[in-house]
Amino acid sequence: MNKTLIIVLACLTLPVSAEKYVDLYRVNIVDEYTLKKMLPGKIVPKRQSILGFEAAGKVKGIHVDIGDNVAKDDLLAELEDLEAHALFNEAAANLSMRKKMFARARSLDNENVVSQQQLENTESQFLIAKAQHARASIKLQQTKIRAPYDGIIQSRFLDEGSIVNAGAALVEIIDNEYVEARIAIPRSLLEAMQIGEKYQFTINAKGFEADLARLAPMPARGSNHRLAIFEFSRFFNPGATARLILEVTESKRGAWVPLNSISQAEQGLWTVFTLSSENLAQKDLVELIHIENNRAFVSGTLQSGDRVIVGGASKVADDQAVRDSQ
């Protein structure tokens, strides 16, 4: 073939082969954007109690261990109670005797056999015996620890045979039915929140709802946050991380673009490549405002209708001829 013809043909085909097919994203300029904020917090039991005996003594038995599920009023532990039982039996016997004496005195009073003073003395002794019996019953009950609600034994601090003072910690129980999340929330976000409303959470990568139950009355010293307590209608293992998802609207003019269409420039700015009217790739400077998943919200010289080149600097160079792959 003639060399001149080959050169001409090469020149004619060069622009076509230099064009690159790219994916385009059409820009839509808006005056505000919505973003999702995720605020972390811990799952804690709604109720958590450290239990101990109300009386001093020697531990006779502990009937639960860590991890045990218990029902309300289940017997958890007890002290040696021989003395308490003896005092209770003595009080019961005395009450029974005083009750009979008071009944006999009232019967005799109806027959005018005893004086009013004697009747009142007998009644007083009966009431004293009744009070002593009630006190002995309480003392006997104080030798036992019962579950205050349905729960799980979280900790066990002592064993049988231990000598304890009144109030010494023996076991810890947590609610096994309901839990709550405690989240520190900035004041600026609290303004749009309402107590009693439902809010979205992620726990172990799954979505759940919880009610905003209450707020701490005031922020911690020096903090611009307030503690919010959210209640769940189901049980999660305490200690898990819960993330509150809040949608927040920010007033800022700009546009969403694919994250991989931006590349860093100088002085904190970023660049995107757009398609010019001559089908050439051209740079536009933008300010990066927010990143969410695989997209970015930017402001700058972009206009509605501009076509951003997906892939940006990794796909094209400045002034390169491009064509829409669609």
Side-chain angles (χ1 to χ4, degrees):
M1 183 179 292
N2 188 291
K3 290 184 177 180
T4 304
L5 181 58
I6 293 175
I7 294 173
V8 171
L9 290 174
C11 292
L12 290 174
T13 58
L14 183 60
V16 175
S17 62
E19 282 188 333
K20 187 167 187 178
Y21 287 89
V22 295
D23 293 330
L24 300 176
Y25 177 86
R26 190 172 294 275
V27 170
N28 179 36
I29 301 296
V30 295
D31 292 322
E32 62 183 22
Y33 67 98
T34 300
L35 59 93
K36 289 183 178 180
K37 286 186 177 288
M38 300 187 72
L39 304 178
K42 287 292 184 183
I43 294 293
V44 297
K46 189 174 181 181
R47 292 176 292 184
Q48 184 170 5
S49 307
I50 295 178
L51 307 178
F53 292 107
E54 296 180 69
K58 182 179 180 180
V59 178
K60 177 182 178 181
I62 302 176
H63 308 300
V64 292
D65 210 336
I66 296 172
D68 287 350
N69 284 278
V70 297
K72 183 178 180 180
D73 293 329
D74 278 356
L75 180 62
L76 307 183
E78 53 187 331
L79 293 174
E80 295 287 356
D81 56 3
L82 292 177
E83 183 179 0
H85 263 297
L87 292 175
F88 176 78
N89 291 335
E90 181 182 351
N94 186 47
L95 175 62
S96 176
M97 181 184 67
R98 295 298 179 182
K99 184 177 181 181
K100 291 176 182 178
M101 291 176 63
F102 178 49
R104 188 179 304 114
R106 283 193 300 181
S107 175
L108 294 174
D109 179 60
N110 292 333
E111 300 174 6
N112 294 319
V113 175
V114 297
S115 66
Q116 184 65 28
Q117 182 65 43
Q118 290 175 314
L119 178 63
E120 290 176 356
N121 288 341
T122 305
E123 181 181 15
S124 177
Q125 291 171 352
F126 165 68
L127 293 176
I128 292 173
K130 190 174 182 181
Q132 290 173 338
H133 178 267
R135 183 181 180 187
S137 176
I138 292 172
K139 289 294 184 181
L140 184 59
Q141 292 174 20
Q142 289 177 346
T143 64
K144 295 174 173 53
I145 297 177
R146 297 187 180 275
Y149 44 77
D150 296 349
I152 303 174
I153 301 302
Q154 171 75 5
S155 303
R156 171 175 164 169
F157 306 110
L158 296 172
D159 293 311
E160 293 85 354
S162 301
I163 305 298
V164 296
N165 293 321
L170 190 77
V171 293
E172 181 180 17
I173 182 175
I174 61 174
D175 191 336
N176 68 353
E177 188 173 4
Y178 299 107
V179 292
E180 54 190 30
R182 298 176 182 179
I183 311 288
I185 299 180
R187 286 185 181 179
S188 58
L189 299 183
L190 276 175
E191 295 175 358
M193 302 179 69
Q194 295 291 330
I195 290 179
E197 293 291 324
K198 293 187 179 296
Y199 292 89
Q200 296 295 319
F201 281 82
T202 60
I203 302 173
N204 297 327
K206 295 182 180 180
F208 300 95
E209 285 188 338
D211 297 323
L212 176 55
R214 55 196 184 277
L215 296 171
M218 60 185 297
R221 183 175 300 178
S223 172
N224 196 35
H225 293 63
R226 285 182 68 184
L227 190 66
I229 293 88
F230 297 83
E231 293 182 351
F232 292 87
S233 59
R234 55 165 296 174
F235 183 79
F236 303 97
N237 288 330
T241 298
R243 290 178 172 84
L244 170 65
I245 303 172
L246 290 179
E247 288 194 350
V248 180
T249 300
E250 300 283 354
S251 297
K252 182 71 176 181
R253 186 170 177 80
W256 288 103
V257 298
L259 182 60
N260 65 355
S261 67
I262 66 173
S263 56
Q264 196 164 13
E266 296 179 354
Q267 298 179 347
L269 294 177
W270 296 73
T271 60
V272 297
F273 281 93
T274 57
L275 186 64
S276 71
S277 57
E278 292 83 17
N279 287 336
L280 298 176
Q282 62 181 15
K283 286 184 179 179
D284 282 89
L285 289 175
V286 295
E287 178 187 1
L288 178 60
I289 306 300
H290 177 69
I291 294 176
E292 186 174 294
N293 297 327
N294 60 349
R295 60 179 187 160
F297 189 83
V298 299
S299 66
T301 58
L302 293 176
Q303 301 292 326
S304 288
D306 284 351
R307 291 172 293 174
V308 168
I309 297 173
V310 178
S314 66
K315 295 290 186 180
V316 296
D318 199 16
D319 289 331
Q320 181 177 356
V322 295
R323 182 174 295 184
D324 189 354
S325 61
Q326 302 300 320

